[in-house]
């Protein structure tokens, strides 16, 4: 982080957005000493808020719960003094125009400096392609590749950036917070 950031994390259901967000918060706050705040708009999934609330309490970072686009905007505005505000969003199917439109309104309300699209390596290449094509409506600026530990295929580390023109911000492999996350590094990706 070279300047304050508001980072929205988006993607389909089940790709590990909330756990990845917690890992990023831990990396930034505990390892790098950055001032971090969390905002969650994922109030649909049972346990999502509680999961993030537990991580926030352990890390000693504030958490705002947003039930509307206005509350997302207010949550981000409240923490403009932080080095990074991380925004968790509800997972949405790439096949639902209505849900993607609703998600876009939440992301737009946050006015993120970066929007990271989370794609699981464990998804088939056809589904990965569909996800990146359909989520372009959210104007992602970076990719996060998750679940490398669940997939024998590492081709997405090359194919997705080439297909989208987006760089990879980080990769995850496992459920441990904050251990199972790596910021993208060309050498590490080449070795994988």
């Amino acid at each position: 982080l070279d300047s304050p950031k508001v980072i929205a994390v988006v993607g389909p259901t089940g790709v590990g957005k909330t756990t990845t967000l917690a890992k990023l918060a831990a990396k930034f706050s505990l390892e790098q000493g950055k001032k971090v705040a969390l905002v969650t708009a994922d109030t649909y999934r049972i346990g999502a808020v509680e999961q993030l609330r537990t991580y926030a309490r352990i890390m000693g970072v504030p958490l705002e719960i947003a039930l509307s686009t206005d509350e997302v905007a207010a949550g981000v505005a409240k923490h403009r003094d932080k080095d990074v505000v991380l925004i968790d969003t509800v997972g949405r199917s790439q096949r639902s125009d209505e849900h993607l439109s609703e998600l876009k309104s939440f992301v737009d309300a946050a006015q993120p400096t970066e929007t990271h699209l989370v794609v699981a390596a464990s998804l088939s290449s056809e589904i990965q392609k569909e996800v990146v094509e359909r989520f372009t409506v959210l104007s992602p600026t970076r990719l996060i590749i998750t679940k490398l530990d669940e997939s024998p295929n590492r081709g997405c580390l090359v194919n997705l950036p080439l297909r989208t023109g987006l760089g990879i911000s980080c990769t995850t492999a496992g459920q441990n917070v904050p251990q199972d996350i790596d910021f993208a590094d060309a050498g590490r990706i080449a070795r994988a």
Side-chain angles (χ1 to χ4, degrees):
L1 297 172
D2 52 359
S3 62
K5 303 260 190 236
V6 175
I7 300 173
V9 177
V10 301
T13 57
V15 294
K17 290 180 300 301
T18 301
T19 303
T20 299
L21 193 92
K23 291 174 185 180
L24 286 170
K27 284 281 189 192
F28 291 139
S29 67
L30 302 177
E31 293 183 11
Q32 297 182 6
K34 302 292 185 183
K35 294 184 294 182
V36 175
L38 304 174
V39 176
T40 183
D42 185 2
T43 57
Y44 294 92
R45 190 170 51 91
I46 294 173
V49 170
E50 217 33 61
Q51 178 186 7
L52 211 49
R53 182 178 282 134
T54 300
Y55 285 128
R57 187 173 54 249
I58 291 168
M59 292 181 277
V61 301
L63 170 65
E64 304 297 328
I65 299 163
L67 300 172
S68 68
T69 55
D70 289 342
E71 290 179 4
V72 170
V76 171
K78 181 177 178 180
H79 296 288
R80 284 284 179 199
D81 62 323
K82 304 295 190 285
D83 296 311
V84 63
V85 177
L86 296 167
I87 302 164
D88 192 23
T89 61
V90 64
R92 289 300 193 196
S93 169
Q94 68 275 9
R95 295 182 179 168
S96 171
D97 291 334
E98 179 184 343
H99 287 156
L100 288 174
S101 177
E102 177 189 20
L103 179 58
K104 181 174 174 23
S105 68
F106 274 83
V107 172
D108 289 350
Q111 298 181 329
T113 53
E114 297 178 6
T115 300
H116 294 221
L117 174 59
V118 182
V119 181
S122 57
L123 296 172
S124 71
S125 60
E126 294 82 17
I127 298 297
Q128 289 174 351
K129 181 180 178 188
E130 182 181 17
V131 166
V132 297
E133 286 173 357
R134 300 288 294 164
F135 273 83
T136 57
V137 69
L138 297 170
S139 304
T141 55
R142 310 281 291 167
L143 295 169
I144 296 175
I145 309 298
T146 59
K147 302 190 179 196
L148 285 171
D149 57 317
E150 297 180 22
S151 174
N153 183 358
R154 301 292 187 267
C156 62
L157 294 170
V158 174
N159 295 336
L160 290 177
L162 287 174
R163 184 175 288 135
T164 62
L166 303 175
I168 297 172
S169 59
C170 59
T171 61
T172 72
Q175 294 294 311
N176 297 314
V177 176
Q179 298 87 348
D180 295 334
I181 188 168
D182 289 307
F183 289 113
D185 171 83
R188 186 177 294 123
I189 289 173
R191 284 187 298 278

